[in-house]
């Protein structure tokens, strides 16, 4: 046990509980790693003094019954944290210090953990490579010059580089699962409504969902258990009993039916992705799962639908950033309107502005029916595709992404090719379903690839169980050389 | 359907984002390629489909009519770029 | 009182080329009576220090989410029921997007395609008869904050206390045809909502405002003219002035062959004119879409039924009952049901005294006094019980109407009951025929000359004798009895 930080969260918790390591020493180990990993640019803010203080408090009066006893955690900088700057990766919130704590982070702290720092992300979570952040791009620890995925790129990078034992991200169209896939880690987007959106900087309210990013499935179950739960402050929060995902984790998945949708075999998909999918199917089959070919006929329309719905909601959600009550205000301009226009032009980056304009346009007079209403209708069809098939299968297996991590700058000049990264992840956001990305193999260049398990609404336990069994039989090992330190 | 520069300027005005001439050109190119992609949806006949208003199949939950918020002026004004300790302050609005 | 049923509607504007009719529709914004705001727990009470009644939701901080106030929903349903309107069991909250300093979210949460209340109607009592005004819809929405432009020459100050307070927007059909009808309509809406307890109708505090849509057309035309919307008028008087100005402006334009631009206008109360609001030029594109932070509102029919059962008696019903049960005329009934508190006061007085006399005295002396003192019925210095006692004293002949006025004045000053006043001041009417006859005989014997003149035909002198009787009785002689006895004795 030379380095505690390369272990999984559940192993660390064990060592905390057996007093093999103190919370303070654990925290110090992560601080050392973070200080040596500035090159990755995963952090926007670090809260070391606060974390050491909380660790000391824990060590003085430890409570080992908690889910996350004495665990330091860094979180995506989209979660509002009381008294700690929250930027959403944007210049417009560069100096914003919330006086409140998001429900999801509060849940984590209430379970014994504390804040270690705020992780870089695409500006307002709009991006698939973490290149749209005002605070610069994040580097993927699996290889210099590679993107860590997005928008939770700081989260995936920090997790894979052992800068936090586990983390949380948000997923609007794939922002947890795609970066997890790119870094060989586990990422779960829960059912829409399982985790409260209160206190999370909103991107697209009908799609946004917070979820765990972890080194393995057990960690994922622990984190989900800690962060989820009904919140009366969020009108879209589902009122249901809390589940013990970690305690109920089972690796016997014999007899389950898993659907294989033919529409996820897209044109120009690298052969390696197809091979990975085949490998996944074989593992599951060997575990006694029945594979069933299914059809989700509207899959190809998910991404175009997403690029209407998400920008439309974003254009409205981001209207509050006007330089009046918080955040950046431009000093240019002679009256209120000019102040607005300059503040928003200087405060937002190009991708955010592009999406605000798309969203404004699709909602504007004369275009609403052709775009927004059309998209709401297609969204219904996409949801129906899943509803129809979930009468026949327990879960669906697909690749997580159409490629492995790409090079920094490779797709920045072609927005549509960037958007295509989310082709496999977006449908589940539109349908509000839980989906898990798990590391399943490496491509020719040795870069990690992930498979995605999609479940029925609120069926997180089942996809975690499938993932758990899969993980035990997959023989995937994420070998990351610490080239940056 | 293609977006011309004038349309983009109008939309930018609605969204209260100033765009300079140089930016309009690249925006026109990007947005047109995005809309070309989006317009794949026109292949689908959706005449008989109900639009999906909410993914959750439940009714709106309500709260009791109780006063349990407000009286936090300091917190409300704390982050503002300009205020008078009582009010938010913005450049003159010309009516 | 005269009921002016015969009067004819005659509000037209005469142009050189003919008569024009004015077509008016109102969008009334009524503040919902509730403790807390529509989507947050901040107080709604008027008159707080700037930005004191503001939560992080009302000021739209990142990540803040709306949760609806159940009472505001019920208030909207009650109001809908009071307007005889269809209650929609399925309604949707939409975002209305526009930028303004006092609109923190950059959108107002409102209801667009699916409002909570659909079509209804309101009855107006006009001098020319009853008039029905259609209600198009009622929906719930958030109020905006307040921009203050005159505190500083270069800056605008923003107070968000109002931001997020629940409003009901009540949209009428274009059924109104004159400033008088607008007056009657607003007052009727106000009365109904005050009966229901859903809006206090306080126009000074901004609880009731309206956007006024005005167009004109030649009398006999079937098509409506192009309309202009006059924004945010906060008193009935200003609404009437704005309509008069705007209608004439439109007639002048049409007469000179020009067209009317459909636009949003502002009523300048200082100059008494409407003018175009340029700042609203691009505001017509509100980009409405369903608010993804909220789910569709599904109302349980049982809730609607229960609310319906618990509604109070409303003015139209009460008026009918007052006419039937108390024998009042339509005018009296109308006045007495105009405020719930007035009708309650009247019913209490009527029960203890005389229906008709109670109405006359309330609408006469009592209302005049309250008006004089700037009071209303709820804080009247005279209780209903005391007032009933006064009315009863008149009715029974204990005091005359003239003395009653005196007693009334003393009641206001002293707060004493009429009984006590009449007794201590000895104001009781002299109604004993023997006593009176004795007194009159004395007067007649003192004025023999006048008696002779009367008998020789100068009958005008009758009044003189009455005067003398009143004088010597200190005004307490029963007038009717005095007349009778005088006539009898003068004949003899």
């Amino acid at each position: 046990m030379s380095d505690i930080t390369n272990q999984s969260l559940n192993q660390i918790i064990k060592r905390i509980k057996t007093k093999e390591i103190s919370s303070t020493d654990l925290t110090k180990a992560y601080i050392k790693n973070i200080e040596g990993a500035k090159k990755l640019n995963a952090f926007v803010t670090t809260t070391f003094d606060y974390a050491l203080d909380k660790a000391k408090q824990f060590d003085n009066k430890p409570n080992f019954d908690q889910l996350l006893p004495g665990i330091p955690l860094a979180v995506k900088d989209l979660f509002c944290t009381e008294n700690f700057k929250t930027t959403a990766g944007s210049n417009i919130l560069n100096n914003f210090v919330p006086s409140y704590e998001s429900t999801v982070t509060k849940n984590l702290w209430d379970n014994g953990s504390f804040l270690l720092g705020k992780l870089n992300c695409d500006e307002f979570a709009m991006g698939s490579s973490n290149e749209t952040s005002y605070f610069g791009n994040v580097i993927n620890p699996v290889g210099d010059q590679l993107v860590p995925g997005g928008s939770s790129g700081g989260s995936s990078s920090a997790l894979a580089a052992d800068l936090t034992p586990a983390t949380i991200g948000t997923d609007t169209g794939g922002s947890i699962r795609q970066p997890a896939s790119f870094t060989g880690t586990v990422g779960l987007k829960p059912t829409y409504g399982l985790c409260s959106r209160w206190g999370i900087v909103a991107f697209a309210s009908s799609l946004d969902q917070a979820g765990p990013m972890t080194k393995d499935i057990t960690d994922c179950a622990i984190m989900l258990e800690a962060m989820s739960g009904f919140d009366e402050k969020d009108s879209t929060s589902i009122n249901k009993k809390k589940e013990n995902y970690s305690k109920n984790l089972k690796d016997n998945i014999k007899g389950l039916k898993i659907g294989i949708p033919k529409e996820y075999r897209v044109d120009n998909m690298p052969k390696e992705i197809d091979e990975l999918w085949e490998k996944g199917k074989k593992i599951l089959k060997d575990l006694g799962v029945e594979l069933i070919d299914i059809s989700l006929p509207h899959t190809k329309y998910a991404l175009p639908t997403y690029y209407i719905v998400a920008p439309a909601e974003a254009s409205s959600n981001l209207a509050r950033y006007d330089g009046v009550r918080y955040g950046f205000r431009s000093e240019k301009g002679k009256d209120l309107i000019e102040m607005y226009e300059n503040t928003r032009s200087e405060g937002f980056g190009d991708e955010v502005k592009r999406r605000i304009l798309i969203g404004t346009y699709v909602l504007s007079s004369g275009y609403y029916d052709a775009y927004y209403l059309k998209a709401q209708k297609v969204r219904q069809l996409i949801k129906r595709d899943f509803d129809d098939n979930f009468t026949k299968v327990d879960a669906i297996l697909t690749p997580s992404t159409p490629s492995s991590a790409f090079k920094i700058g490779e797709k920045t000049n072609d927005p549509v090719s960037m958007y295509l990264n989310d082709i496999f992840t977006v449908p589940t956001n539109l349908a509000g379903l839980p989906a898990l990305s798990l590391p399943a193999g490496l491509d020719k260049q040795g870069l990690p690839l992930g498979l995605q398990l999609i479940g029925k609404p609120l069926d997180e336990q089942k996809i975690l169980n499938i993932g758990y069994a899969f993980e035990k039989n997959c023989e995937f090992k994420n070998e990351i050389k610490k080239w940056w330190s | 359907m293609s977006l011309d520069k004038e349309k983009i300027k109008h939309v930018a005005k609605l969204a209260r984002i100033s765009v300079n001439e140089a930016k309009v050109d690249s925006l026109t190119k990007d947005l047109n390629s995005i809309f070309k992609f989006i317009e794949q949806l026109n292949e689908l006949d959706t005449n008989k489909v109900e639009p999906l208003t909410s993914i959750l199949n439940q009714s709106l939950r309500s709260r009791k009519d109780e006063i349990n918020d407000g009286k936090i002026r300091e917190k409300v004004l704390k982050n503002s770029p300009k205020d008078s300790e009582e009010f938010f302050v913005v450049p003159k609005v010309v009516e | 009182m005269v009921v002016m049923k015969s009067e004819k509607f005659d509000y037209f504007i005469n142009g050189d080329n003919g008569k024009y009719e004015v077509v008016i529709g109102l969008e009334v914004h009524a503040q919902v009576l509730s403790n807390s705001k529509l989507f947050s727990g901040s107080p709604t009470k008027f008159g707080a220090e700037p930005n004191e009644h503001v939560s992080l939701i009302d000021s739209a901080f990142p990540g803040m989410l709306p949760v609806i106030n159940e009472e505001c929903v019920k208030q909207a349903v009650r109001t809908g029921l009071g307007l005889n309107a269809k209650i929609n069991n399925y309604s949707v909250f939409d975002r209305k997007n526009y930028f303004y300093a006092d609109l923190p979210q950059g959108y107002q949460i409102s209801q667009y395609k699916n409002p909570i209340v659909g079509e209804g109607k309101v009855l107006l009592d006009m001098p020319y008869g009853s008039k029905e005004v259609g209600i198009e819809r009622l929906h719930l929405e958030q109020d905006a904050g307040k921009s203050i432009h005159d505190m500083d020459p270069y800056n605008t100050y923003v107070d968000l206390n109002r931001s997020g307070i629940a409003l009901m927007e009540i949209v009428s059909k274009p059924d109104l045809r004159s400033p008088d009808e607008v007056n009657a309509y607003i007052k009727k809406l106000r009365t109904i909502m005050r009966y229901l307890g859903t809006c206090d109708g306080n126009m000074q505090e901004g609880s009731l405002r309206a956007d006024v849509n005005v167009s004109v057309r030649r009398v006999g035309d079937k098509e409506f003219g192009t309309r202009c919307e006059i924004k945010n008028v906060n008193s009935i008087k200003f609404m009437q002035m704005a309509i008069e100005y705007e209608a004439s402006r439109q007639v002048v334009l049409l007469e000179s062959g020009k067209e009317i631009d459909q636009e949003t206008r502002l009523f300048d109360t200082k100059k008494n004119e409407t003018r175009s609001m340029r700042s609203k030029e691009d505001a017509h594109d509100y980009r409405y879409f369903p608010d993804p932070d909220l789910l569709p509102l599904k109302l349980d029919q049982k809730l609607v039924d229960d609310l319906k059962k618990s509604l109070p008696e409303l003015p139209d019903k009460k008026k009918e009952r007052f006419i039937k049960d108390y024998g009042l005329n339509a005018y009296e009934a109308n006045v007495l049901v105009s405020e719930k508190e007035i009708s309650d006061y009247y019913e209490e007085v009527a029960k203890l005294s005389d229906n008709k006399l109670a109405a006359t005295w309330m609408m006469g002396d009592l209302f005049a006094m309250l008006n004089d003192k700037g009071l209303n019925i709820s804080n009247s210095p005279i209780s209903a019980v005391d007032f009933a006692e006064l009315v009863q004293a008149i009715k029974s002949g204990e005091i005359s109407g003239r003395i009653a006025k005196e007693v009334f004045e003393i009641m206001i000053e002293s707060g004493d009951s009429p009984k006590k006043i009449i007794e201590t001041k000895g104001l009781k009417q002299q109604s004993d025929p023997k006593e009176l006859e004795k007194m009159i005989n004395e007067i007649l014997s003192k004025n023999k000359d006048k008696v002779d003149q009367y008998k020789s035909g100068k009958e005008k002198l009758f009044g003189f004798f009455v005067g003398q009787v009143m004088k010597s009785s200190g005004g307490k002689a029963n007038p009717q009895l005095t007349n009778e006895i005088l006539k009898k004795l003068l004949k003899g």
Side-chain angles (χ1 to χ4, degrees):
Chain A
M1 279 308 93
S2 55
D3 184 6
I4 182 92
T5 61
N6 67 15
Q7 299 182 12
S8 64
L9 173 68
N10 64 87
Q11 288 167 324
I12 293 170
I13 292 170
K14 267 184 209 139
R15 287 184 168 72
I16 287 267
K17 284 186 174 177
T18 55
K19 298 193 183 172
E20 275 175 62
I21 188 163
S22 68
S23 175
T24 303
D25 287 344
L26 178 70
T27 305
K28 279 182 181 161
Y30 281 108
I31 291 173
K32 186 168 162 259
N33 284 4
I34 294 164
E35 281 178 333
K38 293 210 167 113
K39 227 182 243 173
L40 299 179
N41 196 30
F43 281 76
V44 174
T45 306
T46 54
T47 59
F48 296 157
D49 290 344
Y50 171 81
L52 286 169
D53 203 43
K54 294 298 270 188
K56 204 171 135 194
Q57 280 177 36
F58 178 85
D59 290 334
N60 287 339
K61 215 181 159 191
N63 175 357
F64 296 117
D65 296 334
Q66 294 169 301
L67 264 177
L68 301 166
I71 303 294
L73 290 175
V75 302
K76 189 178 186 177
D77 205 14
L78 209 67
F79 296 90
C80 289
T81 41
E82 190 173 352
N83 299 327
F84 293 112
K85 195 171 83 166
T86 299
T87 68
S90 181
N91 183 27
I92 213 156
L93 284 176
N94 194 3
N95 54 8
F96 174 59
V97 180
S99 59
Y100 49 95
E101 186 76 35
S102 84
T103 299
V104 159
T105 47
K106 184 174 183 299
N107 288 346
L108 293 179
W109 316 148
D110 287 349
N111 276 296
S113 63
F114 46 83
L115 184 69
L116 183 59
K118 303 294 292 286
L119 297 166
N120 206 338
C121 58
D122 277 304
E123 186 178 7
F124 285 99
M126 295 179 195
S128 305
S129 63
N130 219 307
E131 291 168 291
T132 72
S133 170
Y134 175 72
F135 303 96
N137 59 284
V138 176
I139 291 168
N140 190 336
V142 305
D144 198 0
Q145 302 308 313
L146 292 178
V147 303
S151 66
S152 312
S155 300
S156 65
S157 174
L159 177 67
D162 299 334
L163 312 182
T164 181
T167 185
I168 54 172
T170 59
D171 190 317
T172 306
S175 281
I176 286 175
R177 292 160 288 159
Q178 184 253 20
S181 177
F182 279 15
T183 53
T185 56
V186 173
L188 171 68
K189 181 204 93 73
T191 306
Y192 182 79
L194 188 70
C195 294
S196 169
R197 293 185 298 111
W198 195 89
I200 303 175
V201 176
F203 162 14
S205 311
S206 78
L207 304 161
D208 293 348
Q209 188 56 203
M213 298 172 78
T214 57
K215 289 183 178 168
D216 65 24
I217 294 288
T218 309
D219 292 0
C220 189
I222 294 170
M223 288 291 284
L224 181 66
E225 199 174 314
M227 71 193 288
S228 61
F230 173 63
D231 181 5
E232 60 180 23
K233 291 187 285 189
D234 175 358
S235 297
T236 62
S237 173
I238 297 173
N239 193 353
K240 67 179 277 287
K241 237 182 77 195
K242 236 178 133 63
E243 290 191 50
N244 298 322
Y245 298 109
S246 53
K247 204 176 131 202
N248 295 332
L249 213 49
K250 282 197 283 281
D251 62 1
N252 181 2
I253 55 169
K254 209 174 158 196
L256 287 184
K257 295 186 174 108
I258 292 185
I260 308 296
K262 63 172 193 237
E263 289 80 7
Y264 280 63
R265 186 164 285 113
V266 295
D267 298 342
N268 306 323
M269 189 163 83
K271 227 177 105 210
E272 290 161 305
I273 303 286
D274 213 20
E275 286 165 7
L276 180 84
W277 201 4
E278 289 305 320
K279 176 187 162 191
K281 285 192 242 178
K282 186 172 180 306
I283 292 172
L284 292 175
K285 210 171 173 186
D286 291 348
L287 287 163
V289 158
E290 186 187 343
L291 298 175
I292 297 174
D293 287 325
I294 60 167
S295 170
L296 300 162
H298 298 95
T299 300
K300 79 174 266 212
Y301 301 105
L303 208 51
T305 300
Y306 176 83
Y307 274 95
I308 293 172
V309 175
E313 293 181 14
S315 72
S316 177
N317 281 336
L318 271 59
R320 64 188 58 197
Y321 305 102
D322 59 5
V324 176
R325 283 148 286 112
Y326 44 76
F328 169 79
R329 176 190 290 191
S330 170
E331 293 305 322
K332 290 182 219 153
K334 61 177 193 312
D335 62 11
L336 180 72
I337 293 180
E338 288 189 12
M339 186 280 273
Y340 282 158
E341 291 178 340
N342 293 321
T343 294
R344 291 166 60 78
S345 183
E346 295 165 38
F348 291 135
D350 284 348
E351 180 62 23
V352 170
K353 283 190 260 191
R354 196 148 53 208
R355 296 207 199 181
I356 291 175
L357 295 181
I358 296 170
T360 305
Y361 179 64
V362 298
L363 290 173
S364 67
S365 164
Y367 299 95
Y368 179 90
D369 287 0
Y371 293 113
Y372 185 77
L373 193 67
K374 179 90 184 179
Q376 294 289 68
K377 289 178 167 189
V378 180
R379 192 173 177 186
Q380 184 80 271
L381 296 174
I382 290 163
K383 180 179 179 289
R384 239 180 251 167
D385 281 356
F386 283 108
D387 289 348
D388 292 347
N389 281 289
F390 274 128
T391 60
K392 296 178 283 198
V393 299
D394 296 292
I396 294 168
L397 181 77
T398 78
S400 297
T401 56
S403 76
S404 58
F406 47 88
K407 287 209 166 60
I408 290 163
E410 191 182 312
K411 296 179 195 273
T412 39
N413 291 323
D414 183 356
V416 172
S417 84
M418 183 70 90
Y419 297 169
L420 284 168
N421 249 286
D422 296 331
I423 190 159
F424 298 145
T425 46
V426 149
T428 53
N429 295 84
L430 290 170
L433 303 169
L436 177 69
S437 175
L438 37 147
L442 301 172
D443 71 358
K444 278 196 303 257
Q445 303 151 270
L447 303 179
L449 291 168
L451 286 175
Q452 175 176 238
L453 279 165
I454 304 169
K456 296 178 193 176
L458 299 175
D459 219 3
E460 276 79 4
Q461 187 73 57
K462 198 175 280 163
I463 55 172
L464 284 169
N465 288 350
I466 299 169
Y468 190 50
F470 184 93
E471 183 180 82
K472 285 188 172 175
N473 292 278
C474 176
E475 291 163 11
F476 172 83
K477 194 102 178 58
N478 206 8
E479 300 280 5
I480 295 176
K481 292 189 190 73
K482 300 207 170 171
W483 52 267
W484 57 86
S485 54
Chain B
M1 150 95 250
S2 83
L3 274 156
D4 59 27
K5 287 193 201 175
E6 284 314 304
K7 188 85 219 168
I8 286 171
K9 284 187 202 162
H10 170 72
V11 172
K13 187 87 199 159
L14 272 180
R16 294 283 187 266
I17 292 175
S18 75
V19 284
N20 59 33
E21 276 306 315
K23 263 272 156 56
V24 174
D25 282 332
S26 67
L27 266 173
T28 310
K29 181 179 143 278
D30 288 345
L31 293 189
N32 274 302
S33 79
I34 293 165
F35 275 95
K36 197 174 151 237
F37 176 71
I38 286 175
E39 280 161 11
Q40 287 179 72
L41 295 186
N42 295 338
E43 296 165 10
L44 285 172
D45 177 6
T46 51
N47 272 329
K48 290 188 183 120
V49 184
E50 268 297 300
L52 186 145
T53 307
S54 168
I55 200 78
L56 291 170
N57 189 25
Q58 57 191 49
S59 178
L60 186 58
R61 193 163 23 80
S62 57
R63 50 167 241 278
K64 295 240 177 305
D65 182 23
E66 286 165 353
I67 298 168
N68 52 23
D69 214 338
K71 310 245 177 206
I72 48 164
R73 183 160 74 194
E74 207 193 308
K75 274 188 185 174
V76 164
L77 293 175
K78 186 186 80 163
N79 274 286
S80 69
K82 195 169 179 183
D83 64 71
S84 74
E85 291 183 353
E86 283 190 309
F87 295 96
F88 295 102
V89 178
V90 298
K92 200 88 183 170
V93 180
V94 187
E95 196 63 77
Chain C
M1 271 296 166
V2 195
V3 184
M4 295 177 287
K5 280 263 189 231
S6 55
E7 239 179 69
K8 270 175 68 182
F9 175 85
D10 69 343
Y11 190 80
F12 299 105
I13 293 178
N14 289 310
D16 294 338
N17 304 318
K19 261 172 136 183
Y20 290 82
E21 177 183 40
V22 184
V23 176
I24 308 153
L26 290 188
E27 291 163 26
V28 170
H29 299 263
Q31 183 179 327
V32 174
L33 267 180
S34 64
N35 299 317
S36 60
K37 294 184 179 181
L38 183 55
F39 293 112
S40 86
S42 312
T44 56
K45 209 164 181 282
F46 180 79
E49 291 288 299
N51 289 306
E52 275 294 347
H53 286 178
V54 180
S55 69
L56 299 171
I57 298 170
D58 313 320
S59 45
F61 271 67
M64 292 300 101
L65 297 171
V67 181
I68 199 163
N69 181 339
E70 63 174 14
E71 181 61 16
C72 296
V73 172
K74 287 184 188 167
Q75 293 288 54
V77 172
R78 287 185 189 110
T79 308
L81 292 170
L83 300 175
N84 304 300
K86 184 179 177 299
I87 307 299
N88 293 324
N89 292 63
Y90 177 91
S91 68
V92 175
F93 287 95
D94 297 279
R95 293 186 183 176
K96 179 180 181 178
N97 295 283
Y98 66 97
F99 286 88
Y100 203 71
D102 51 29
L103 189 75
Q105 295 168 135
Y107 55 84
Q108 174 194 36
I109 305 178
S110 180
Q111 297 189 297
Y112 184 51
K113 280 187 189 154
N114 297 287
I116 186 164
V117 176
E119 289 188 328
K121 58 175 190 284
V122 166
L123 280 179
L124 307 184
D125 275 296
M126 300 309 295
Y128 35 87
S130 177
K131 159 145 190 162
E132 187 177 304
V133 178
I135 300 291
E136 179 72 39
R137 57 185 280 162
L138 175 156
H139 67 254
L140 278 168
E141 63 183 27
Q142 298 176 297
D143 202 353
K146 203 167 105 190
S147 292
I148 303 154
H149 304 297
D150 53 9
M151 281 175 71
D152 176 321
Y154 308 108
N155 294 301
T156 294
Y157 285 59
V158 181
D159 172 14
L160 298 178
N161 279 346
R162 291 196 74 97
S163 167
I165 285 181
L167 300 178
M168 294 178 281
E169 177 168 327
I170 304 166
V171 182
S172 82
K173 301 207 176 208
D175 288 349
L176 297 158
R177 293 290 178 272
S178 72
D180 279 349
E181 290 188 358
V182 167
N183 177 40
Y185 172 73
I186 297 273
K187 284 189 172 152
K188 189 62 181 277
L189 273 189
R190 188 176 174 276
T191 302
I192 293 171
M193 290 190 289
R194 285 176 58 86
Y195 264 69
L196 293 166
T198 58
C199 171
D200 67 18
N202 190 330
M203 297 188 95
Q204 279 92 43
E205 291 178 5
S207 307
L208 202 64
R209 292 114 68 188
D211 299 338
V212 187
N213 287 297
V214 180
S215 67
V216 297
R217 65 177 170 189
R218 287 266 184 81
V219 171
D221 277 2
K222 287 261 164 15
E223 299 279 309
F224 288 131
T226 306
R227 65 164 200 263
C228 289
E229 182 183 14
I230 311 160
K231 274 273 173 208
N232 222 358
V233 195
N234 60 7
S235 90
I236 296 181
K237 200 176 133 220
F238 289 150
M239 282 176 213
Q240 294 184 307
M241 286 159 72
I243 291 163
E244 277 170 22
Y245 175 87
E246 181 59 21
S248 319
R249 186 188 73 89
Q250 292 184 13
V251 169
V252 168
L253 278 176
L254 292 176
E255 289 273 300
S256 60
K258 290 187 185 127
E259 286 197 354
I260 294 169
D261 290 331
Q262 181 166 345
E263 60 180 355
T264 305
R265 298 178 71 85
L266 189 80
F267 183 61
D268 186 327
T269 53
K270 285 182 195 117
K271 293 183 185 154
N272 184 21
E273 62 179 33
T274 65
R275 64 185 145 84
S276 187
M277 272 174 98
R278 285 206 183 77
S279 62
K280 293 272 179 185
E281 258 172 14
D282 66 359
H284 295 297
D285 199 344
Y286 288 125
R287 290 160 282 132
Y288 283 100
F289 75 106
D291 190 332
D293 286 332
L294 296 162
L295 303 171
L297 177 64
K298 293 171 190 164
L299 287 180
D300 195 1
Q301 187 54 41
K302 190 177 174 303
L303 174 80
V304 178
D305 293 342
D306 287 350
L307 287 172
K308 193 167 190 173
K309 271 181 224 151
S310 68
L311 286 191
E313 183 185 34
L314 289 173
D316 287 345
K317 270 268 157 60
K318 188 168 276 188
K319 182 185 159 192
E320 256 173 54
R321 183 166 63 82
F322 276 19
I323 293 171
K324 197 167 146 271
D325 292 1
Y326 296 116
L328 303 181
N329 66 37
Y331 174 80
E332 290 167 331
N334 236 354
V335 173
L336 293 174
V337 302
S338 65
E339 294 273 354
K340 188 174 176 295
E341 291 75 14
I342 291 176
S343 70
D344 290 345
Y345 191 100
Y346 169 72
E347 289 209 83
E348 209 180 333
V349 175
K351 262 177 208 135
L352 300 168
S353 63
D354 178 78
N355 301 341
K356 198 77 184 174
L357 208 56
T360 315
W361 274 79
M362 258 185 84
M363 290 165 65
D365 293 68
L366 185 70
F367 283 2
M369 179 273 291
L370 293 175
N371 201 29
D372 259 12
K373 295 192 182 288
L375 297 172
N376 56 48
I377 200 87
S378 321
N379 51 23
S380 162
I382 297 176
S383 72
V385 174
D386 283 353
F387 194 71
E389 207 175 285
L390 180 70
V391 174
Q392 192 50 34
I394 304 164
K395 178 71 186 174
S396 69
E398 197 182 340
I399 55 171
S400 68
R402 210 175 62 83
I403 293 290
K405 282 181 198 289
E406 217 179 306
V407 175
F408 183 74
E409 292 300 326
I410 301 167
M411 286 168 77
I412 298 163
E413 277 155 34
S414 67
D416 288 341
S417 75
K419 245 190 196 125
K420 191 177 166 199
I421 295 166
I422 294 166
E423 248 165 56
T424 53
K425 305 247 167 187
L427 294 174
K428 201 165 169 175
Q429 190 159 261
Q430 268 190 33
S431 298
D432 182 344
K434 275 182 194 156
E435 289 278 319
L436 268 180
E437 204 170 320
K438 201 177 140 203
M439 187 201 294
I440 292 170
N441 269 325
E442 269 171 36
I443 289 167
L444 294 183
S445 60
K446 270 187 208 155
N447 295 286
K448 281 232 159 49
D449 50 337
K450 296 244 168 39
V451 174
D452 291 343
Q453 285 173 28
Y454 178 86
K455 284 186 173 165
S456 64
K458 207 171 174 187
E459 291 189 0
K460 263 196 250 165
L461 280 169
F462 191 79
F464 166 79
F465 297 118
V466 174
Q468 289 301 307
V469 176
M470 286 304 162
K471 199 176 159 192
S472 99
S473 70
K476 287 177 288 181
N478 181 323
Q480 218 181 326
L481 219 51
T482 304
N483 278 1
E484 281 170 24
I485 297 169
L486 257 178
K487 270 185 191 152
K488 189 182 82 185
L489 295 179
L490 284 167
K491 253 187 211 163

